[in-house]
Amino acid sequence: MAKSEKINFSTPSGFPEFLPGEKRLEVYLLDTIRKVYESYGFTPIETPAVERLEVLQAKGNQGDNIIYSINPILPPNRQAEKDKAGETGSEARALKFDQTVPLAAYIARNLNNLTFPFARYQMDIVFRGERAKDGRFRQFRQCDIDVVGRRELSLFYDAQMPAIIAEIFEAINIGDFLIRINNRKVLTGFFKSVGVEAEKIKSCIGIIDTLEKVGEAKVKQELEKEGVLVEQAQKIIDFINIKGTADEILDKLKYLAQSASEAEIFNLGVTELETVISGVRNLGVGENRFCIDLSIARGLDYYTGTVYETSLVGHEALGSICSGGRYEELVGVFLGEKMPGVGISIGLTRLISRLLKAGILNPLTPTPTQAIVVNLQEDLMPVYLNVSQKLRKAGINVVTNFEQRPLGKQFQQAEKQGIQFCVIIGSEEAAAQKAALKDLKTREQIEVSLENLAEEIRSRLV
Amino acid sequence: MAKSEKINFSTPSGFPEFLPGEKRLEVYLLDTIRKVYESYGFTPIETPAVERLEVLQAKGNQGDNIIYSINPILPPNRQAEKDKAGETGSEARALKFDQTVPLAAYIARNLNNLTFPFARYQMDIVFRGERAKDGRFRQFRQCDIDVVGRRELSLFYDAQMPAIIAEIFEAINIGDFLIRINNRKVLTGFFKSVGVEAEKIKSCIGIIDTLEKVGEAKVKQELEKEGVLVEQAQKIIDFINIKGTADEILDKLKYLAQSASEAEIFNLGVTELETVISGVRNLGVGENRFCIDLSIARGLDYYTGTVYETSLVGHEALGSICSGGRYEELVGVFLGEKMPGVGISIGLTRLISRLLKAGILNPLTPTPTQAIVVNLQEDLMPVYLNVSQKLRKAGINVVTNFEQRPLGKQFQQAEKQGIQFCVIIGSEEAAAQKAALKDLKTREQIEVSLENLAEEIRSRLV
């Protein structure tokens, strides 16, 4: 076969792929996350990768995102079908860029077949046409949960989110993390109370959200650009810098609430925050796992109450590894109904890529294989196949070596792939219904009867 | 919120989505398939949904498929970036339409980081612009395995495929199935031996492949259209109709091989088929699970040896539920290297959709929740949260009811969703560290101490 010199077979920029050991790590993380989500009753859904463009663009849904439309390309031998393929002239369609707009569409499509509050998880791939740099991808997997109610939704759902985040990151075991909790109503109310005009509050919250990235001076400057007075800006900065334990901050907020009692929304936010914190404690989340951080705002427009960010202690520069919040106007958009929701999202592709680079996570072995039945004599193949099947039935992942290579090479290959066991059977062993079992982890080699082989392997599996 | 009357929020035609109970069925099937694949040492990979168009179209890769190119759409507020978004003017890209071309690209991209024979599974979503009818989808998930060698690949890998197919469909428990095995060389050799011209053989095999769909008369007619003589066509029809046990058919083939001993490729095919069948037996596949069927050809051009189809006994009209085969020239295309491979594919989306429609499979319950802690008194919420967390720690999927509804409604809601248990705690129970446990499957209600609650639920879980 002639080599196709001219084909550029590299992945398109921003569309990542993992090596097997990295993909196995992703599968392990997906399993772990799924297990926690399901333990709280979240059920899986998957929406199509493609939605009608009018859905993705409805009501400003597209936001700041570059999305990808899809257009059919006929194969050379079917060009004549241009007008009858049912694919040309069809409605405009595009790849989903998040899982929230599709959730709204899914609920609208299946309203009568769902039970509310509807608690779902979704771990699909989404697409955004961002510049492929700074660890940003154009295709990535997000692990989202949301609970959506009709008209009302208890604040205890907000309290559950930090419990879920804590369980996941404890299970993944990537060191200390801190869930930072705030409430948008507290921010909005405070901005109002210092005299910021109502229509400027959202953009001011957007500016606050950049604090960690750009620093205090820049935030102040941006607030002033927005028309906030120097004095107001200072009050805001002082407010979002309030530090202390959750209880100390709640006390300060309640004191401020009394003195600014005309700010109804501020008071409501403080009460919500207090309820959420008390729920988080009742759910057994450790005090070292969460805090109130009044500077957390979340850039996204649609949050209306509780907001979360999660940082990895000692690795804050990685940014938030799990974020989310409460929203009111998002999910009911297609139905014209009030459907409050609260959700969190783990940007898994980005998380894995950053944690691998930082050495906080490591790839798994490149294969799930736990034992190799080596190939000593071609005529013993029926025995090798039979032994392999028996081990599989006992729950062990097995490769039978069909290639005839020197035994040393076969050991080497197993070791290189991180496979723990080699099962060695020559004619003598076959006749005696035995095998030599080499444990590449301990470098031990023992003789085992075929009958006890699976048990022996299982008891030694690391 | 005003209802958006004009937005068509239905899924685009051909882009399916499942209800939660159906998605849960898919997740269960994916887990089952994955477990079997991994037990044979196949490792997961995932290639990007998007490849360069030149990769998908290289060397006739596109085949008969309509593919989807992707093109960036900037949001209204970023139109000014048209030329600097790094997304316009970039290379042509399209969504993958199968997992074989991307496998070839993946191997070319990661050659030095992979161990050969490279055995991988891939359960990604692929996209084809087909007419969305006849249960065909434009987006669907395929569960593929392939083993790829460098230069050589043992026929025992071909023998493993039926063992894997059998294990999966036995685990899924959808009734009797039959794996039909053939070898393309046998067909090619026989066609040669009856005098069909070499350059017509591939298209003749394509015609044979339609036998089950269009019937014998039509196949004969099509063969004759292709220039095959009436007499030759009859010989071909007689040949592919040879029936019997695997051994009987092998005997007949060996007899034919002797009498047509000039047909080297036929002989090679018969030997390969015999080796594969013997391997299938050594792997313990039941005799009722497989057969030789000389009419199985697989439409796809690229198969060169063993081919498989799997039919559901009594539901043959559903078509093949798992197919595949051996190929030589496919995977090395980007490297200009001979990389023989053998693989199978389960078209999972289509399979689920057809088996649900035929009533052979049923959706799971719409939620993974196993127990609901009902809400009797808001002031007991701390107790409810605490009990819920204890049950979760014991591995039970639990929802705490935050909504205050009449108890009967809460039972109803649990039952509707197929949730087995309700945990009922009023002030008396809370004080006595007890709960009433209602089993909605048996209609029994018992009193249990909170300490024994998890154990009691686990022992009764259906």
Side-chain angles (χ1 to χ4, degrees):
Chain A
M1 215 179 327
K3 187 165 169 180
S4 312
E5 297 289 356
K6 282 180 207 150
I7 302 167
N8 178 355
F9 52 70
S10 63
T11 53
S13 171
F15 292 88
E17 74 188 359
F18 288 135
L19 283 171
E22 297 164 345
K23 175 67 190 173
R24 291 193 64 228
L25 171 66
E26 189 193 35
V27 170
Y28 159 75
L29 294 175
L30 284 168
D31 284 348
T32 306
I33 294 168
R34 190 216 308 183
K35 209 173 148 203
V36 176
Y37 285 171
E38 294 201 343
S39 77
Y40 284 80
F42 288 82
T43 199
I45 70 164
E46 182 175 10
T47 64
V50 174
E51 294 278 356
R52 292 171 196 274
L53 188 58
E54 62 183 309
V55 165
L56 299 182
Q57 292 189 323
K59 305 251 176 189
N61 276 345
Q62 183 172 356
D64 281 341
N65 300 294
I66 298 176
I67 58 183
Y68 291 112
S69 68
I70 63 162
N71 298 288
I73 301 180
L74 290 161
N77 60 336
R78 292 176 66 182
Q79 290 296 322
E81 294 174 46
K82 268 236 152 75
D83 293 322
K84 47 172 191 165
E87 263 300 349
T88 42
S90 55
E91 72 281 354
R93 298 158 300 185
L95 294 167
K96 65 182 167 195
F97 61 90
D98 77 356
Q99 299 185 112
T100 317
V101 175
L103 171 63
Y106 183 90
I107 288 176
R109 296 192 278 252
N110 301 294
L111 189 66
N112 296 324
N113 291 309
L114 304 177
T115 305
F116 289 85
F118 179 53
R120 78 88 178 83
Y121 69 92
Q122 202 165 345
M123 319 215 282
D124 307 351
I125 284 168
V126 300
F127 301 86
R128 286 185 203 170
E130 286 311 319
R131 238 170 289 207
K133 54 162 197 181
D134 316 323
R136 290 198 182 276
F137 298 113
R138 289 172 173 169
Q139 161 178 339
F140 51 96
R141 193 184 296 280
Q142 284 188 312
C143 301
D144 291 6
I145 45 174
D146 289 86
V147 198
V148 174
R150 297 187 80 162
R151 287 172 299 281
E152 286 188 329
L153 188 72
S154 161
L155 279 171
F156 284 109
Y157 290 108
D158 301 44
Q160 271 190 349
M161 295 295 165
I164 294 170
I165 298 173
E167 250 181 82
I168 287 172
F169 289 105
E170 276 166 15
I172 290 175
N173 195 18
I174 50 172
D176 276 351
F177 56 89
L178 184 63
I179 305 161
R180 299 144 90 195
I181 306 172
N182 195 7
N183 188 300
R184 276 268 191 124
K185 293 190 183 77
V186 171
L187 288 181
T188 304
F190 185 79
F191 281 41
K192 260 192 188 161
S193 75
V194 300
V196 177
E197 294 160 56
E199 64 272 20
K200 286 186 182 163
I201 289 179
K202 271 200 178 174
S203 57
C204 287
I205 288 180
I207 293 167
I208 294 303
D209 189 52
T210 63
L211 177 69
E212 225 157 39
K213 222 190 276 174
V214 303
E216 209 172 288
K218 180 84 179 157
V219 163
K220 240 166 145 175
Q221 199 181 326
E222 290 295 318
L223 285 173
E224 285 162 24
K225 257 195 215 164
E226 200 61 30
V228 175
L229 304 177
V230 178
E231 196 190 278
Q232 293 171 332
Q234 190 54 52
K235 277 187 184 163
I236 291 172
I237 295 286
D238 291 346
F239 180 75
I240 64 178
N241 274 330
I242 293 176
K243 298 279 176 255
T245 65
D247 289 331
E248 284 165 2
I249 295 181
L250 283 172
D251 281 347
K252 281 184 196 163
L253 291 176
K254 279 187 269 187
Y255 173 78
L256 284 169
Q258 283 175 328
S259 60
S261 60
E262 75 285 9
E264 199 187 331
I265 189 163
F266 183 81
N267 292 4
L268 181 57
V270 174
T271 308
E272 285 187 10
L273 194 53
E274 192 174 20
T275 307
V276 170
I277 295 294
S278 133
V280 168
R281 285 187 171 133
N282 281 323
L283 282 157
V285 180
E287 291 288 326
N288 60 327
R289 294 301 191 200
F290 69 93
C291 69
I292 296 177
D293 185 334
L294 297 173
S295 75
I296 294 300
R298 303 301 303 141
L300 294 169
D301 253 14
Y302 50 75
Y303 292 119
T304 52
T306 316
V307 285
Y308 321 91
E309 285 195 5
T310 312
S311 44
L312 214 50
V313 176
H315 300 273
E316 285 76 6
L318 292 174
S320 176
I321 56 175
C322 180
S323 314
R326 155 80 67 146
Y327 43 83
E328 306 290 329
E329 305 272 310
L330 193 63
V331 173
V333 62
F334 299 114
L335 297 167
E337 192 182 303
K338 194 183 169 209
M339 299 188 111
V342 60
I344 52 169
S345 179
I346 301 174
L348 193 64
T349 309
R350 203 173 171 203
L351 182 69
I352 294 175
S353 142
R354 286 139 100 205
L355 295 189
L356 281 174
K357 212 174 274 176
I360 299 168
L361 278 177
N362 291 303
L364 305 192
T365 57
T367 167
T369 310
Q370 296 162 323
I372 277 192
V373 178
V374 301
N375 187 346
L376 282 185
Q377 300 171 222
E378 196 75 11
D379 62 308
L380 287 177
M381 195 50 77
V383 178
Y384 300 153
L385 294 177
N386 185 274
V387 168
S388 301
Q389 289 301 68
K390 282 205 177 119
L391 294 179
R392 286 182 190 119
K393 288 232 156 45
I396 297 158
N397 298 336
V398 180
V399 158
T400 323
N401 261 4
F402 297 134
E403 289 69 37
Q404 282 187 295
R405 292 183 199 171
L407 194 56
K409 284 250 185 245
Q410 296 189 51
F411 290 158
Q412 255 177 37
Q413 192 200 354
E415 195 152 23
K416 188 180 148 201
Q417 294 194 275
I419 298 165
Q420 192 179 350
F421 298 100
C422 288
V423 176
I424 308 148
I425 304 173
S427 2
E428 245 174 69
E429 285 89 353
Q433 289 286 302
K434 285 184 173 174
L437 179 67
K438 193 180 172 79
D439 185 334
L440 293 168
K441 290 257 155 57
T442 63
R443 303 256 141 224
E444 224 180 324
Q445 182 167 324
I446 56 164
E447 211 179 61
V448 199
S449 75
L450 291 182
E451 204 183 334
N452 296 330
L453 186 58
E455 203 35 51
E456 189 65 37
I457 288 177
R458 265 209 305 247
S459 71
R460 289 167 171 262
L461 257 179
V462 177
Chain B
M1 216 180 327
K3 187 165 170 179
S4 314
E5 296 289 355
K6 283 181 207 151
I7 302 167
N8 178 354
F9 53 69
S10 63
T11 54
S13 171
F15 292 87
E17 74 187 359
F18 289 134
L19 284 170
E22 298 165 343
K23 176 65 191 174
R24 289 193 65 228
L25 172 65
E26 189 194 36
V27 170
Y28 160 75
L29 294 175
L30 284 168
D31 283 348
T32 306
I33 294 168
R34 190 216 308 184
K35 207 173 149 201
V36 177
Y37 285 170
E38 294 200 343
S39 77
Y40 284 80
F42 289 83
T43 200
I45 70 164
E46 180 173 12
T47 65
V50 174
E51 294 278 355
R52 290 169 196 275
L53 188 58
E54 62 183 311
V55 164
L56 299 182
Q57 292 190 323
K59 304 252 177 188
N61 275 346
Q62 185 173 353
D64 281 341
N65 299 296
I66 298 175
I67 58 183
Y68 290 114
S69 68
I70 64 161
N71 299 288
I73 301 179
L74 289 162
N77 59 337
R78 292 177 65 183
Q79 291 296 322
E81 295 174 46
K82 268 237 155 76
D83 293 319
K84 48 173 188 161
E87 262 300 349
T88 43
S90 55
E91 70 282 355
R93 297 158 300 185
L95 294 168
K96 65 182 167 193
F97 60 91
D98 76 357
Q99 299 184 113
T100 318
V101 175
L103 172 62
Y106 183 88
I107 288 176
R109 294 191 279 251
N110 301 294
L111 190 66
N112 297 324
N113 291 310
L114 304 175
T115 304
F116 290 87
F118 179 53
R120 78 87 178 83
Y121 70 90
Q122 203 166 344
M123 319 216 283
D124 307 351
I125 285 168
V126 299
F127 301 86
R128 287 184 202 169
E130 287 310 319
R131 237 169 289 209
K133 55 164 196 181
D134 316 323
R136 288 196 184 277
F137 298 113
R138 290 172 173 168
Q139 161 178 338
F140 51 97
R141 193 183 297 279
Q142 285 188 312
C143 301
D144 291 6
I145 45 172
D146 289 85
V147 198
V148 174
R150 298 187 80 162
R151 289 174 298 280
E152 286 187 329
L153 189 71
S154 161
L155 279 170
F156 284 109
Y157 289 109
D158 300 46
Q160 270 189 351
M161 295 294 165
I164 294 170
I165 298 173
E167 250 180 81
I168 287 171
F169 289 106
E170 277 165 14
I172 290 173
N173 195 19
I174 51 172
D176 275 352
F177 56 88
L178 185 63
I179 305 161
R180 299 144 91 195
I181 306 171
N182 196 8
N183 188 298
R184 277 268 191 122
K185 293 191 183 76
V186 170
L187 288 181
T188 304
F190 184 80
F191 281 40
K192 259 193 188 162
S193 74
V194 301
V196 177
E197 293 160 56
E199 65 272 17
K200 288 186 181 162
I201 289 179
K202 272 201 177 173
S203 58
C204 287
I205 288 180
I207 293 167
I208 296 303
D209 189 53
T210 64
L211 179 69
E212 224 157 40
K213 221 190 276 174
V214 303
E216 209 171 288
K218 180 80 178 159
V219 163
K220 241 165 143 173
Q221 202 181 322
E222 290 294 320
L223 285 174
E224 285 160 26
K225 256 196 215 161
E226 199 61 28
V228 175
L229 303 178
V230 178
E231 199 191 274
Q232 292 172 333
Q234 190 54 54
K235 278 188 185 161
I236 290 172
I237 295 286
D238 291 346
F239 179 76
I240 62 177
N241 273 330
I242 293 176
K243 297 279 177 256
T245 64
D247 290 331
E248 286 165 2
I249 295 181
L250 282 172
D251 281 346
K252 280 182 197 165
L253 290 178
K254 279 188 267 186
Y255 172 78
L256 285 169
Q258 282 174 330
S259 60
S261 60
E262 75 284 10
E264 201 188 330
I265 189 163
F266 183 80
N267 292 6
L268 180 58
V270 174
T271 309
E272 286 187 9
L273 195 52
E274 194 174 18
T275 307
V276 169
I277 296 294
S278 133
V280 168
R281 283 184 174 135
N282 281 323
L283 282 158
V285 180
E287 290 288 325
N288 61 327
R289 293 300 191 201
F290 70 94
C291 69
I292 295 177
D293 185 335
L294 297 173
S295 75
I296 294 301
R298 302 302 303 142
L300 294 169
D301 255 14
Y302 51 73
Y303 291 119
T304 53
T306 316
V307 284
Y308 321 90
E309 285 195 3
T310 311
S311 45
L312 214 50
V313 176
H315 300 273
E316 285 76 6
L318 292 176
S320 176
I321 56 174
C322 179
S323 314
R326 155 79 69 145
Y327 45 81
E328 307 289 330
E329 307 273 307
L330 193 62
V331 173
V333 62
F334 298 113
L335 296 168
E337 192 184 303
K338 194 181 169 211
M339 299 188 112
V342 60
I344 53 170
S345 178
I346 301 174
L348 193 65
T349 309
R350 203 172 172 201
L351 183 71
I352 293 176
S353 142
R354 286 140 101 205
L355 296 188
L356 280 174
K357 212 174 272 176
I360 298 168
L361 278 178
N362 291 304
L364 305 191
T365 57
T367 167
T369 310
Q370 296 161 324
I372 277 192
V373 177
V374 302
N375 187 346
L376 282 185
Q377 299 172 221
E378 196 73 12
D379 62 309
L380 287 177
M381 195 50 77
V383 177
Y384 299 153
L385 293 178
N386 186 275
V387 169
S388 300
Q389 288 301 66
K390 282 206 177 118
L391 294 177
R392 287 183 190 119
K393 287 234 157 42
I396 297 159
N397 298 335
V398 180
V399 158
T400 322
N401 262 4
F402 298 132
E403 288 68 38
Q404 281 186 295
R405 291 184 199 171
L407 194 56
K409 283 254 185 244
Q410 296 188 52
F411 290 158
Q412 256 175 38
Q413 192 200 356
E415 194 152 23
K416 187 180 150 203
Q417 294 195 276
I419 298 165
Q420 191 179 349
F421 299 99
C422 289
V423 175
I424 308 148
I425 304 173
S427 2
E428 245 175 69
E429 285 90 353
Q433 289 287 301
K434 285 185 174 176
L437 179 67
K438 193 179 173 81
D439 184 334
L440 293 168
K441 289 259 153 56
T442 63
R443 303 256 139 226
E444 223 179 324
Q445 182 167 324
I446 57 166
E447 210 179 64
V448 200
S449 74
L450 292 183
E451 202 184 336
N452 296 329
L453 186 58
E455 202 36 51
E456 189 66 37
I457 289 178
R458 264 209 306 247
S459 71
R460 288 166 171 261
L461 256 180
V462 178

